[in-house]
Amino acid sequence: GKWATSRPKYPPTTLALQHFDVTYSSQLGHLWPSVRVALLSERKYGALLNNFSLNDVEEDLASQGCRDFVTDTDRKEHVSMEQDPEVEFSETSDSTSVEQRDTFGQHQLSQPHLSPTIKCFVFPRGDITRFKPARPDSSGLLGYYLMDAASVLPCLALDVHAGHNLLDLCAAPGGKTLALLQTQAIRFLCLNDSSISRTSRLKKVLQSYLPKELLTREKLRITSFDGTKWGEIEQNTFDRVLVDVPCTTDRHSLMEDDNNIFSKSRTGERRGLPQLQLQLLLAGVVAACPGGEIVYSTCTLSHIQNVGVVEQAIHLARENHGIHLKVVDLRPLAHMFRNTFHFASDVQLGELVIPHLAANFGPIYLCKLKRLS
Amino acid sequence: NLLPNVANNDPASLQRHTGPELSLPCLLDMGFTQTQAEQIFEFACKTSGGSATKHCLSTLTVLFMLGLNPSSVMKVLTKCPILYTIKESLLQERISNLRKLGLVEGSLQRVVVHYPAILTLPVKKIKHVTLFLREKCLFTVQQVTQILRDSPAIMHEDLAQLEYKFQYVYFRMGIKQAEMVKHRLFRSTLEELRTRHTFLERRGLYQTPDKKGQTVIANPKLDSVLNVDLDTFLLAHAANASAEEYDVFRRLVAREWKQEERHHGDCQAE
Ligand SMILES: C[S@@+](CC[C@H](N)C(=O)[O-])C[C@H]1O[C@@H](n2cnc3c(N)ncnc32)[C@H](O)[C@@H]1O
């Protein structure tokens, strides 16, 4: 009957929840219940617009009541916030962060430079309407790609300029790759993912969204290497590197028992994640050219996998490779999109989008580093 | 002074009105106001010609015999006009069945005035529901009486739904029968209860007890989840939750559950 269960006593989703209850309640404090209920409820998507499709999806999406969050930022409010740099969401405020925000005050809050060709449509705050599946145009290309809208932020933060060489170190299944390609500014793009099955998924995604002319050897290379070894292959090469690492994928771990990183059999792998993430980030740093920029991103709230990894990477890059890194301030970016996403207010390095029922995106962590030497 | 003023507490004088004649003067005689009397008269004439006037009079008599005053009788008939057309013997039988189920004087009258539809149900149906409450949900005889007194509308509910509600509260929320009765569980809709409980559960503030009935955290009392308005509920249990969050949540889970039901239906159809 309804009440009989044949499931194991502690399925991986339950183990994940127990783990998060311990770590995140101490990390997020009184915010945790609100983040918890959001994580356990249906997430929101964004529709990344495919500029290569001939369909006029933009108008169609707008008529359904969504808007492109990248261009639809309230600039007037932006100005008033400069004078009053208190934290964006009063509920997330705490004394240390207010102090931190105060110091960056008026002068530093310049508009971040963003590629205007990346567009991502979302339904307004509190609206739970779902997107319909995208339809192919006359040449078979789909009009949009559904993904967590906050996943677009690392791509925006990467700030691709015309003529750039790019490395996407953990690229599959390719949502962020697609966002980066929308800039139409990339000279050469290296896509890598160690998983062969996921790399083939990536290829299928690219074929459904990009015209054949763009999928040539002159513009694109797709590999299935272990990203931690990248430095042995190619160093000091890329203008921009995206390191979107495997992590505890908090949402997935709470909702799906299949392929769950919290299953007993994967304990070792889970414990090894921060080490793997560190090595991937270091490989990305080494692959970037001097002056190049690296964005590290995850979809977990875990402090150890986010700030912890970045701190160590900065340290080890200097110690082991003599590479000096500067953390690029992403607060202007976060500030700009504060009407769409809830950002945590007390992250020492980088920005963290935290889930909230009314804006149920994330978690997405991003941190941008610039190679100085 | 519950009886109509002109009736002088004399059953014989009431008996006089049970004759086939229903007239305005006789209604006025019973203590109805002019408007009330006209309303009743008009209704009785409209409905199935002459036969309704006969039942109408007997219905009025039964209600007066129960001890209701004219304004209560009027309330009952306005809420539930179908009572005009029910045979006297059936009404008597239904009332005495309610007495047998333990509704004492006072309670019986209150139930009839608040929920007159109880008198539209055949004795068999009521027996069926009370038996269900005792055998499927293991309520005691006294508890069933109390449920009947506090939540008579339960008699009209779909038994499958009722069983689901009971099991939900018993197993998922870990609440025993005595508490369900005390806090008048059956007055709330399953949807509101489930939404509030799930909201608390997903926020980490409610746990299903294990086999020994134990939880790591102390669950809030049923009363404070069920019998308070939304603001009080949010304030008491989820100090940082906004009405906005709860509103989005309510819509989200409603869709979730509808989909689950549909999925469940699909599986059974296969
Ligand atoms: C968070 S996912 C990337 C999602 C992708 N960037 C997107 O936006 O669609 C992390 C990916 O890292 C890959 N991965 C895991 N270990 C790796 C390694 N050592 N080297 C390269 N990729 C790895 C996984 O196969 C997985 O596809």
Side-chain angles (χ1 to χ4, degrees), chain A residues 170-176 192-195 198 226-227 244-246 276 280:
Chain A
C170 311
K176 295 189 191 72
N192 179 70
D193 197 288
S194 62
S195 152
R198 285 173 68 94
D226 174 357
D244 185 35
V245 295
L276 172 62
L280 285 167

Side-chain angles (χ1 to χ4, degrees), chain A residues 260-336:
Chain A
N260 192 310
I261 188 94
F262 283 87
S263 63
K264 282 263 156 61
S265 58
R266 295 181 69 186
T267 307
E269 185 188 343
R270 178 166 58 81
R271 298 225 170 105
L273 275 175
Q275 196 54 37
L276 172 62
Q277 291 158 344
L278 175 63
Q279 287 177 347
L280 285 167
L281 178 51
L282 279 172
V285 166
V286 170
C289 62
E293 295 178 346
I294 303 105
V295 169
Y296 173 78
S297 61
T298 75
C299 53
T300 175
L301 294 163
S302 159
H303 185 81
I304 297 172
Q305 296 176 62
N306 296 336
V307 178
V309 166
V310 173
E311 273 173 347
Q312 283 208 61
I314 293 171
H315 177 72
L316 289 179
R318 195 173 47 224
E319 296 288 302
N320 298 352
H321 304 277
I323 296 174
H324 288 265
L325 293 166
K326 180 188 142 206
V327 178
V328 181
D329 189 0
L330 291 178
R331 280 173 293 178
L333 181 98
H335 188 82
M336 191 169 169

